[in-house]
Amino acid sequence: MAKFCYDYPHPALTTDIALFTIRDEQLAILLIRRGGEPFQGCWALPGGFVDPDECLEECALRELEEETGITGVYLEQLYTFGKPDRDPRERIISVAYYALAPCEVLTPVAGSDAAEVDWFNLDELPALAFDHQDIIQLAQQRLRAKLDYSTVAFGLMAETFTLGELQKVYETIRGEALDKRNFRKHILTLDILAETGATRRVGNHRPAKLYRVAHPGAVHYIR
Amino acid sequence: MAKFCYDYPHPALTTDIALFTIRDEQLAILLIRRGGEPFQGCWALPGGFVDPDECLEECALRELEEETGITGVYLEQLYTFGKPDRDPRERIISVAYYALAPCEVLTPVAGSDAAEVDWFNLDELPALAFDHQDIIQLAQQRLRAKLDYSTVAFGLMAETFTLGELQKVYETIRGEALDKRNFRKHILTLDILAETGATRRVGNHRPAKLYRVAHPGAVHYIR
DNA sequence: ACAAAAGTGTTCTCGATACACCCATGC
DNA sequence: GCATGGGTGTATCGAGAACACTTTTGT
């Protein structure tokens, strides 16, 4: 076939998506098992080739939906990986994105190019295709860093949530326990949460107030 | 000729470099006047097509040298621009880098693809080719942000410098005056500068101590 | 009554800010 | 001696860290 010809070599272009969620108080990432070569049967990040008329972010969202059925995540460009030999077939540039979603909504379904889809805790990752290990590591660094100076964490929360749940998310990503009183003071002085008025009871103890983000949509920079 | 053929469309891949320096207490950026179409005669960021066997960062450094003669700058990946219609010829993805250099070393020379090379103060930019205006704006935002939580600014300083000069650089990028005593206290408590022992005299007044970065090479994150 | 998480205030420390004067030099 | 930028210290304020008990609920 080979119908697309150029005067000088062109690389192929893909996007890859590192979608994080919190499952069982663990930071987890979504992987697909590759159906085709190379790295057939290997786990990899969802992603794929950019269509001629779509922009990069559109591609990331489309591939995520096609391969896993997941939509409506928070998405942000991470870094572009372009070492000449990162793919054995031909030169492929990957614009990596990272994404966040509350696990409540997420029931991934294996899609077109993916034989299987599943969540993996970050400390129990399988062997990964290509340089996807590097992408995940960078994405995790970025997530941890942004926790301190932005409100990204809300991308991991459901519509409504308790302060205890929010604190667990922060603790999970930072890998350390936080003081309850200081955490609540800090979050509430940001003045971006609103009480819903409702409460939620999950055990044999006092019910917790439910909050939601007061002005959803935007990730704020703080400090 | 069209010797490079693929089964499905491939975009072209370029890097563009936003190289900043400080000239006359103004933040300035390096532009080239384009020799060929499109946007012939227009000012643009230095940059160009990625060779088949070089990685992205190598390409950025090579293009910068070829087009302007400049080497040895601090370079960092900024963002990848990939809107389908950002170039009228064909689909071209640009991995944008930003770079910093002290102006002392820099005497740009028009190179291969550039008819002319010059510095422009950021508040006096000419009309720019492609989406280079957006790239510059993003680069400037990033530079300003990193000033607060890293030591990027040293990329704009010569080998040795006075605290007064360093303060001028911070003031220029932030666009506001800083208190001399607080600035010096802050910088010195970072503990990354070393006195050279020498001093420099530039006017009819007391000579200033010269400092250098104690452990050069790395950009540190602070706080 | 007890277990288990929700909720709440005060003290301390340290970094950021505000602010004014003397010093070394050339003319 | 005066103009010019170099160099220094102290008081105040606010955010972050450390820290322990009461409340509500189900069993």
Side-chain angles (χ1 to χ4, degrees):
Chain A
M1 290 283 107
K3 289 188 299 209
F4 299 94
C5 298
Y6 308 90
D7 290 345
Y8 54 95
H10 280 39
L13 179 67
T14 63
T15 60
D16 287 306
I17 303 97
L19 173 60
F20 293 103
T21 199
I22 304 267
R23 275 188 341 155
D24 309 327
E25 303 185 12
Q26 295 257 318
L27 191 58
I29 194 163
L30 190 71
L31 298 177
I32 62 165
R33 194 191 283 278
R34 289 181 56 80
E37 288 296 345
F39 292 99
Q40 183 164 25
C42 216
W43 291 94
L45 293 173
F49 293 98
V50 178
D51 282 346
D53 290 317
E54 74 187 344
C55 71
L56 302 170
E57 188 167 322
E58 280 167 8
C59 173
L61 293 170
R62 177 181 55 74
E63 288 287 347
L64 188 63
E65 177 165 15
E66 283 180 10
E67 295 187 337
T68 71
I70 292 174
T71 59
V73 301
Y74 169 78
L75 189 77
E76 187 180 313
Q77 197 186 104
L78 174 65
Y79 193 79
T80 298
F81 293 79
K83 285 223 183 79
D85 58 354
R86 56 180 296 281
D87 192 299
R89 292 167 287 185
E90 62 175 321
R91 179 141 196 204
I92 301 190
I93 306 300
S94 171
V95 182
Y97 282 78
Y98 77 97
L100 304 175
C103 82
E104 285 76 10
V105 205
L106 303 179
T107 40
V109 184
S112 56
D113 300 328
E116 207 179 333
V117 182
D118 208 355
W119 293 102
F120 288 82
N121 291 337
L122 273 167
D123 48 9
E124 299 165 0
L125 289 182
L128 290 165
F130 308 109
D131 51 5
H132 288 188
Q133 174 70 50
D134 300 336
I135 299 179
I136 292 173
Q137 199 177 320
L138 188 66
Q140 200 184 349
Q141 275 177 30
R142 182 87 127 248
L143 177 59
R144 237 193 288 253
K146 285 204 104 162
L147 211 57
D148 286 338
Y149 63 89
S150 81
T151 58
V152 263
F154 295 117
L156 292 162
M157 306 309 295
E159 186 75 22
T160 65
F161 50 88
T162 70
L163 291 181
E165 289 162 1
L166 185 62
Q167 182 176 346
K168 278 272 164 53
V169 168
Y170 272 79
E171 288 176 336
T172 302
I173 297 173
R174 296 179 51 142
E176 61 178 352
L178 299 172
D179 180 82
K180 201 199 322 186
R181 288 160 295 184
N182 293 336
F183 178 78
R184 297 162 98 91
K185 204 188 315 172
H186 173 69
I187 292 291
L188 291 175
T189 54
L190 293 181
D191 217 41
I192 48 178
L193 291 190
E195 296 188 13
T196 63
T199 60
R200 172 190 294 160
R201 203 172 44 68
V202 286
N204 302 343
H205 55 81
R206 178 173 177 172
K209 286 184 188 169
L210 284 171
Y211 291 82
R212 55 181 176 75
V213 179
H215 305 288
V219 168
H220 299 258
Y221 290 82
I222 55 189
R223 245 191 271 181
Chain B
M1 287 289 101
K3 290 187 300 212
F4 299 96
C5 298
Y6 308 91
D7 291 344
Y8 53 95
H10 281 39
L13 179 68
T14 63
T15 60
D16 288 304
I17 304 97
L19 172 60
F20 293 103
T21 199
I22 305 267
R23 274 189 342 156
D24 309 327
E25 304 186 10
Q26 295 256 318
L27 190 59
I29 194 163
L30 190 70
L31 298 177
I32 61 165
R33 194 192 283 278
R34 288 180 57 80
E37 288 294 344
F39 292 100
Q40 184 165 23
C42 216
W43 291 94
L45 293 173
F49 294 98
V50 178
D51 282 345
D53 290 318
E54 74 187 343
C55 71
L56 303 171
E57 188 167 321
E58 281 167 7
C59 173
L61 292 170
R62 177 182 56 73
E63 288 287 348
L64 188 63
E65 178 166 13
E66 284 180 10
E67 295 187 336
T68 71
I70 292 173
T71 60
V73 301
Y74 169 79
L75 190 76
E76 188 180 313
Q77 197 186 105
L78 174 66
Y79 194 78
T80 297
F81 293 80
K83 286 223 184 79
D85 58 356
R86 57 179 295 283
D87 191 299
R89 292 167 288 184
E90 62 175 321
R91 180 143 196 202
I92 301 190
I93 306 301
S94 170
V95 182
Y97 282 79
Y98 77 97
L100 303 176
C103 82
E104 286 75 11
V105 205
L106 304 177
T107 39
V109 184
S112 57
D113 300 329
E116 207 179 333
V117 183
D118 208 353
W119 294 103
F120 288 82
N121 290 337
L122 274 167
D123 48 9
E124 299 165 1
L125 290 182
L128 290 165
F130 309 109
D131 51 4
H132 289 188
Q133 174 70 51
D134 300 336
I135 298 178
I136 291 174
Q137 198 177 321
L138 188 66
Q140 199 184 352
Q141 274 177 31
R142 182 87 127 247
L143 177 58
R144 235 193 290 253
K146 284 205 106 161
L147 212 58
D148 286 336
Y149 64 89
S150 84
T151 59
V152 263
F154 295 117
L156 292 163
M157 307 308 295
E159 186 75 22
T160 65
F161 50 88
T162 69
L163 292 181
E165 288 162 1
L166 185 62
Q167 182 176 347
K168 278 272 164 52
V169 168
Y170 272 79
E171 289 177 335
T172 301
I173 297 172
R174 297 180 51 142
E176 60 178 352
L178 299 172
D179 180 82
K180 201 199 322 187
R181 288 160 295 185
N182 293 337
F183 178 78
R184 296 162 100 92
K185 205 187 314 171
H186 173 68
I187 292 293
L188 291 174
T189 54
L190 293 181
D191 219 40
I192 49 178
L193 291 189
E195 295 188 13
T196 63
T199 59
R200 173 189 293 161
R201 201 172 45 68
V202 284
N204 303 341
H205 54 82
R206 178 173 178 174
K209 285 183 188 170
L210 283 171
Y211 291 82
R212 57 181 174 73
V213 178
H215 304 289
V219 168
H220 299 259
Y221 290 82
I222 56 188
R223 245 191 268 183

